[in-house]
Amino acid sequence: MLTGKTGNLGVMGWPIAHSLSPAMQNAALVKAGIDYVYTALPVEPVHLAAAVAGLRALRFRGWNVTIPHKQAMIDLLDEIDEDAQIIGAVNTVVQENGRLMGFNTDVAGFLAGLAGAGFSLAQKRVVLLGAGGAARAVLWGLIKSGASRVAIGVRHPEKAEMLRQAFAPKASTLGTELAVYHWEEERFQAELAQTALLVNTTPLGMAPRTEAAPPIDWEQVHPEAFVYDIIYTPRQTRFLREAAAHGHPTRNGEDMLVGQGAVAFRLWFGQDPDRALMKETLRAQLTAQK
């Protein structure tokens, strides 16, 4: 029951009605016995600064941030953590005594999916598909977790080259080689043949265009490669179906979504939520949407 003491959280985006975060987070709040409510916050880009000022004044404990506000949010905060600074995007805000602190929990969410599968990145070769906003968080997770080499395969190498250059200093310091290829060139096929992990960060295959997929020649992929698609709707994309048909272990984006939300919950309250309940709630919402 909502009372005059109920605290406030939310997820900010435009549009935002499709978000599954309110269901997940409210289920976790009820289970933890925390008197807060988490709501969707539709904010047009032109009103972003006013919205953030309003949430500060209303003493929201915090909020998540999604498209298209992840980059613009940075300039409206008092402080950001290292992951958000390196990636150039904020997806979680925490308010402490009137100060707004920004974090990026997408990295932890992505790594949670690998941890759940028992996959270690240390000294592994990786092929990363895509060079957009999601790829930035995934690439930083790969670098900080000790991947030996990351080959970025894309349709437009010039965009991926900008990504490579942005992360090159950190990658060099931490011992990760970075390379960029058009995903149809011969050298890219050689990368597929040696990779231990193949990750899709593109929107190809996401609902409603579920029959799209990155142009991977599965005969070229290392037979023991682990295949990870950060898309969670549908649960099994064409990319994952093809991988499974060729005998590869696979993972979808459910654990990443739950993982980033669980880390945000911990930042707000200093305790871990029930991740199993959050995942169960997510799946129930996805089923209801169908």
Side-chain angles (χ1 to χ4, degrees), residues 9-288:
L9 298 163
V11 55
M12 180 186 294
W14 185 261
I16 198 62
H18 65 284
S19 178
L20 301 177
S21 293
M24 282 199 314
Q25 294 288 5
N26 282 314
L29 288 166
V30 171
K31 179 67 178 294
I34 298 174
D35 188 15
Y36 270 75
V37 63
Y38 183 108
T39 56
L41 304 168
V43 177
E44 294 182 65
V46 68
H47 298 311
L48 180 61
V52 171
L55 296 184
R56 188 196 296 261
L58 290 168
R59 296 187 178 276
F60 265 59
R61 173 59 179 154
W63 58 92
N64 288 125
V65 185
T66 189
I67 296 171
H69 303 317
K70 288 186 174 185
Q71 290 78 39
M73 183 64 63
I74 290 176
D75 293 335
L76 302 174
L77 305 177
D78 301 302
E79 180 182 341
I80 62 173
D81 78 334
E82 181 187 38
D83 285 349
Q85 184 174 18
I86 291 172
I87 296 166
V90 163
N91 79 332
T92 301
V93 177
V94 178
Q95 180 164 200
E96 291 279 7
N97 301 317
R99 287 182 57 80
L100 301 181
M101 297 173 287
F103 301 85
N104 192 302
T105 68
D106 285 333
V107 178
F110 167 71
L111 295 176
L114 291 176
F119 186 93
S120 171
L121 279 165
Q123 295 304 303
K124 296 292 198 319
R125 296 176 68 108
V126 181
V127 169
L128 173 64
L129 303 177
R136 295 183 68 88
V138 169
L139 180 57
W140 175 229
L142 296 170
I143 292 170
K144 71 187 297 189
S145 297
S148 62
R149 179 176 174 84
V150 180
I152 306 170
V154 289
R155 181 181 289 118
H156 302 292
E158 62 278 4
K159 181 178 180 181
E161 179 58 25
M162 294 174 61
L163 177 65
R164 188 198 68 78
Q165 291 180 15
F167 282 87
K170 286 289 185 182
S172 177
T173 299
L174 295 176
T176 301
E177 297 179 357
L178 300 180
V180 171
Y181 302 97
H182 189 285
W183 52 26
E184 293 182 354
E185 68 178 285
E186 187 174 336
R187 291 181 300 167
F188 181 64
Q189 306 309 311
E191 294 285 350
L192 289 173
Q194 300 178 72
T195 194
L197 173 65
L198 174 60
V199 185
N200 178 41
T201 68
T202 78
L204 293 173
M206 182 184 298
R209 299 177 181 178
T210 57
E211 287 310 304
I216 295 298
D217 181 352
W218 292 101
E219 298 300 328
Q220 300 297 322
V221 180
H222 191 288
E224 297 180 5
F226 186 88
V227 179
Y228 191 164
D229 194 335
I230 68 170
I231 293 171
Y232 59 87
T233 176
R235 287 181 62 187
Q236 189 176 49
T237 58
R238 175 184 166 188
F239 178 72
L240 291 185
R241 291 198 309 271
E242 292 177 352
H246 284 80
H248 297 282
T250 64
R251 202 76 165 186
N252 70 6
E254 288 180 348
D255 285 329
M256 182 171 177
L257 180 62
V258 171
Q260 64 84 16
V263 175
F265 190 102
R266 186 168 67 242
L267 288 169
W268 294 322
F269 301 113
Q271 66 183 74
D272 290 317
D274 186 332
R275 290 195 185 211
L277 174 63
M278 293 176 77
K279 189 169 184 176
E280 178 184 327
T281 303
L282 169 63
R283 288 185 172 179
Q285 289 295 306
L286 290 172
T287 299

